[in-house]
Amino acid sequence: MLGPSPQRMQPGCSASVNALLLLIGLLKQGIYRPLPGWWLLLAKGLLASLAMGLALWFLSGGLCYLLLALALGLRPRHLLRMNPAA
């Protein structure tokens, strides 16, 4: 279904996890102390990444899929059911 996409995403995801673990370790040991504006820059970067991901999802057919699912009767409450047999 996804084709080779997971194989292409895996190196980037593993590099991100590695960098995050390194940052956490350096912060805990007190080796690295970020400057005052660092957390704001990180928040802006994450927000920009989220916006780009949403834009790509909508442009790649996500919006059409969502509207079609809603038109065919799928409601958010259906996704919240705890009993799959109901």
Side-chain angles (χ1 to χ4, degrees), residues 44-60:
K44 286 180 181 179
L46 290 174
L47 184 63
S49 296
L50 178 65
M52 179 60 77
L54 287 174
L56 289 173
W57 183 72
F58 279 120
L59 293 175
S60 68

Side-chain angles (χ1 to χ4, degrees), residues 6-73:
Q7 294 171 347
R8 292 183 183 140
M9 292 182 341
Q10 188 272 332
C13 291
S14 62
S16 297
V17 169
N18 187 21
L20 179 64
L21 292 174
L22 176 62
L23 176 64
I24 290 170
L26 291 174
L27 288 171
K28 280 185 179 180
Q29 293 179 6
I31 296 171
Y32 177 69
R33 290 186 203 115
L35 294 174
W38 190 82
W39 295 108
L40 180 62
L41 179 64
L42 179 65
K44 286 180 181 179
L46 290 174
L47 184 63
S49 296
L50 178 65
M52 179 60 77
L54 287 174
L56 289 173
W57 183 72
F58 279 120
L59 293 175
S60 68
L63 181 62
C64 293
Y65 174 79
L66 181 63
L67 291 176
L68 182 62
L70 291 173
L72 292 175

